Amino acid sequence: MDVLFVEYPHCSTCKKAKRWLDEHGVAYTDRSIVDDNPTAAELAEWRGLGDLPLRRLFNTSGTKYRELGIKAQLDDGMTDEDAYALLATDGMLVKRPVLVVRGGANGDTALFGFREPAWAQALGIDIEG
């Protein structure tokens, strides 16, 4: 299994997710979303793995999201290609952390945001027992 963890190191949710991965003994490649922002092609691929609505890829609580009026752009019918291109310009626009699992319990999966049950399922970790 190959695991990529994309984070903003100063984000409290990212820190919590990283601690959770470490506590569960998950080996992963750590990538800063600011220093090595996902490309438009990566975002499109990851979205396909996670089957998410386009809006779920955006960090809606970020200041740049509001400054750029992205909600209105999405409401006006922003294309997927334009959204991926915009997200690729600044890692702070992307919902984080991102977990990309290759060859996991459910095959290849990408998750945006930290939700312990979903992460456990993707990684084949039993959190109930």
Side-chain angles (χ1 to χ4, degrees):
M1 177 169 58
D2 184 40
V3 179
L4 174 63
F5 176 65
V6 184
E7 66 163 328
Y8 176 54
H10 302 290
C11 165
S12 61
T13 302
C14 294
K15 289 177 185 179
K16 179 180 177 183
K18 188 175 193 173
R19 186 170 44 254
W20 185 89
L21 290 171
D22 292 341
E23 288 171 356
H24 288 87
V26 177
Y28 56 89
T29 300
D30 194 349
R31 178 170 158 186
S32 169
I33 204 160
V34 174
D35 297 334
D36 190 4
N37 190 41
T39 65
E42 285 176 318
L43 291 161
E45 177 192 359
W46 297 346
R47 179 179 172 218
L49 295 175
D51 193 30
L52 290 172
L54 182 61
R55 291 174 184 268
R56 293 282 309 273
L57 274 65
F58 283 92
N59 175 15
T60 58
S61 62
T63 56
K64 291 194 179 216
Y65 180 85
R66 290 187 298 278
E67 287 173 1
L68 296 173
I70 294 172
K71 181 184 183 311
Q73 292 180 53
L74 289 165
D75 289 346
D76 288 343
M78 177 187 285
T79 66
D80 289 3
E81 292 76 23
D82 287 344
Y84 298 138
L86 178 59
L87 287 161
T89 66
D90 189 335
M92 299 305 284
L93 291 172
V94 179
K95 176 78 173 173
R96 58 188 183 265
V98 181
L99 185 74
V100 182
V101 181
R102 304 282 184 189
N106 300 317
D108 295 348
T109 307
L111 303 168
F112 289 77
F114 179 55
R115 292 178 316 284
E116 185 176 334
W119 282 38
Q121 183 179 16
L123 295 165
I125 296 171
D126 180 10
I127 57 174
E128 294 182 24

